[in-house]
Amino acid sequence: MAVFKGFPLNLLFASILLILLLCIQSGGGQKKKENMLAEKVEQMMEWSSRRSVIRMNGDKFRRFVKAPPRNYSVIVMFTALQPQRQCSVCRQANEEYQVLANSWRYSSAFSNKLFFTVVDYDEGADVFQQIRVFRPPNYSGTIALALLVSLVGGLLYLRRNNLEFIYNKTGWAMAALCVVFAMTSGQMWNHIRGPPYAHKNPQNGQVSYIHGSSQAQFVAESHIILLLNAAITMGMVLLNEAATSKGDVGKRRIICLVGLGLVVFFFSFLLSIFRSKYHGYPYSFLIK
């Protein structure tokens, strides 16, 4: 058997053939990747020419964002813009996102290296299930509670020789009213949902403090409701004071009229807000 310096020729030829086959396959695979990448970039550029923000579903997201090869960057906004979702924050964020994407699309720095996309929940719910959200722990509530307990404990310690204020009915009544006003105005809903303080219409600049739907509210709306409830309660307190006190008749009459005016005016205002949120609300406050 022929040898080449001690190495069999048939084995040498087999090794060279294997190397050539690997090079050919590697070159073909590289060419295929380049063609696939070129097709993806061309498709993304075509979509971007139609609209600045490319809408994607689950299949498009996996193909053009997750799957290699990819030599471009993609900014993806996950949102829920369908009317049945009633996500006012999503609509506001989408408006600003559109402004940003348009600014990039028509700037001199625009290239095929960056694209703006959006995935709506109703068009790509499976994509949302792939996302893991890591939220850092929030200790602000625990710290606030500890500070409150420390403050109350310190106050009780300083007044340990005179604790008559604990039995003050007026003080406890005011504290209870504050809790009631906070809860009935929707402060807990604000804490859970985190709504915006108000809404500014980007077209005419008009600011809305009352949400038009009964399923949502603004932070400013809860403050307005709190003040209205407080004013109505003050009117009821004045009416009760006028009826139960034994002072001057003229003074009691003035107190009664002031209390009645507070109840009538602010309760009517409260009903008007209910009618604006609950369309077709049938009740009104009338005096005959």
Side-chain angles (χ1 to χ4, degrees), residues 258-269:
V258 172
L260 185 61
L262 289 174
V263 172
V264 171
F265 179 79
F266 289 104
F267 192 72
S268 299
F269 193 8

Side-chain angles (χ1 to χ4, degrees), residues 170-228:
T170 303
W172 284 109
M174 294 295 294
L177 283 176
C178 290
V179 175
V180 171
F181 291 153
M183 295 298 104
T184 56
S185 64
Q187 295 295 332
M188 186 59 67
W189 193 92
N190 294 340
H191 180 74
I192 296 173
R193 298 296 184 89
Y197 187 82
H199 173 68
K200 184 176 181 180
N201 193 320
Q203 298 179 353
N204 54 22
Q206 183 179 0
V207 180
S208 300
Y209 298 100
I210 305 296
H211 198 283
S213 172
S214 61
Q215 302 298 319
Q217 70 175 17
F218 299 128
V219 176
E221 180 179 340
S222 63
H223 294 167
I224 294 173
I225 298 299
L226 188 150
L227 294 176
L228 291 178

